[in-house]
């Protein structure tokens, strides 16, 4: 078994929205494979990350399992709704089984801090597929296990016009 980061960016695919819809489709999602096709195999663990501007909450959104060998696949019609720009009708990819959504996501900065020498960090996520060592995967699992706030709480005084 191998470990991977699969990465999508805001200007190509609206991954957080697609992940929210995935449960209605058996939690199966296609994902492009741009490199390492000879190494990615069914049963591998994938950390599904989303990049983009900070206001889109970049980070680790899901854990998944690879279901198929990389091959030419056609994403389902429902997935195509989340393309920011049209993808080719068929391209090399795999089918992933989404195991767990990370709500809230593990922030990108936490991953960068934990894996400062990893290619994912050095390239600032410029790429789609990144190999992880078992030790790096363990470090990510440690980040997943840490409690995270659900967001910045609204201050009591700014919720309404009331001064009570």
């Amino acid at each position: 078994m191998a470990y991977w980061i699969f990465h999508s960016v805001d200007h190509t695919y609206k991954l957080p929205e697609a992940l929210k819809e995935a449960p209605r489709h058996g939690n199966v999602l296609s994902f492009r494979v741009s490199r390492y096709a000879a190494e990615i195999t069914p049963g591998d663990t994938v950390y599904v990350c989303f990049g983009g501007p900070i206001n889109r909450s970049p980070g680790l959104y899901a854990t998944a399992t690879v279901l198929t060998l990389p091959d030419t696949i056609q994403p389902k019609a429902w997935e195509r709704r989340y393309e920011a720009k049209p993808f080719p009708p068929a391209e090399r990819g795999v089918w992933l089984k989404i195991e767990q959504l990370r709500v809230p996501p593990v922030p990108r900065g936490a991953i960068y801090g934990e894996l400062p020498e990893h290619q994912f960090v050095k390239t600032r996520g410029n790429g789609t597929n990144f190999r992880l060592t078992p030790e790096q995967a363990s470090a990510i699992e440690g980040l997943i296990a840490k409690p995270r706030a659900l967001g910045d709480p609204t201050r009591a005084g700014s919720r309404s016009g009331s001064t009570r």
Side-chain angles (χ1 to χ4, degrees), residues 22-38:
R24 292 190 296 243
H25 305 279
N27 273 328
V28 175
L29 185 77
S30 66
F31 214 100
R32 182 175 175 220
V33 172
S34 60
R35 56 187 179 160
Y36 303 112

Side-chain angles (χ1 to χ4, degrees), residues 2-4 47 115 118 130-140:
Y3 303 92
W4 306 93
Y47 300 98
L115 305 173
H118 191 272
F130 299 88
R131 181 183 16 228
L132 292 167
T133 65
E135 295 78 21
Q136 291 165 333
S138 180
I140 289 177

Side-chain angles (χ1 to χ4, degrees), residues 12 18 24-25 30-31 33 51 60 65 69 74 92 101 103 114 126 134 137 143 151 156-157 159-160:
T12 60
R24 292 190 296 243
H25 305 279
S30 66
F31 214 100
V33 172
L60 190 158
T65 302
L69 289 171
Q74 295 182 4
R92 186 172 55 188
L101 291 178
V103 180
E114 193 66 38
N126 188 11
L143 291 173
R159 289 188 191 138
S160 70

Side-chain angles (χ1 to χ4, degrees), residues 7-145:
H7 184 246
S8 177
V9 291
D10 189 46
H11 64 274
T12 60
Y13 192 69
K14 307 301 182 197
L15 181 66
E17 291 86 348
L19 287 169
K20 287 178 187 171
E21 186 171 338
R24 292 190 296 243
H25 305 279
N27 273 328
V28 175
L29 185 77
S30 66
F31 214 100
R32 182 175 175 220
V33 172
S34 60
R35 56 187 179 160
Y36 303 112
E39 299 172 46
I40 297 170
T41 61
D44 287 354
T45 296
V46 174
Y47 300 98
V48 182
C49 291
F50 175 68
I54 197 72
N55 66 338
R56 291 284 289 154
S57 300
L60 190 158
Y61 272 72
T63 55
T65 302
V66 175
L67 294 177
T68 62
L69 289 171
D71 200 355
T72 302
I73 61 172
Q74 295 182 4
K76 304 293 183 194
W78 73 267
E79 294 179 283
R80 294 232 176 246
R81 291 195 306 264
Y82 299 104
E83 295 173 357
K85 59 182 180 181
F87 289 169
E91 60 186 341
R92 186 172 55 188
V94 294
W95 293 102
L96 297 178
K97 174 73 171 182
I98 304 303
E99 303 293 348
Q100 277 194 322
L101 291 178
R102 308 304 335 156
V103 180
V106 175
R108 175 176 60 194
I111 297 167
Y112 283 7
E114 193 66 38
L115 305 173
E117 297 303 313
H118 191 272
Q119 195 67 16
F120 177 68
V121 176
K122 288 181 177 182
T123 64
R124 295 289 191 206
N126 188 11
T128 304
N129 314 110
F130 299 88
R131 181 183 16 228
L132 292 167
T133 65
E135 295 78 21
Q136 291 165 333
S138 180
I140 289 177
E141 288 293 335
L143 291 173
I144 289 170

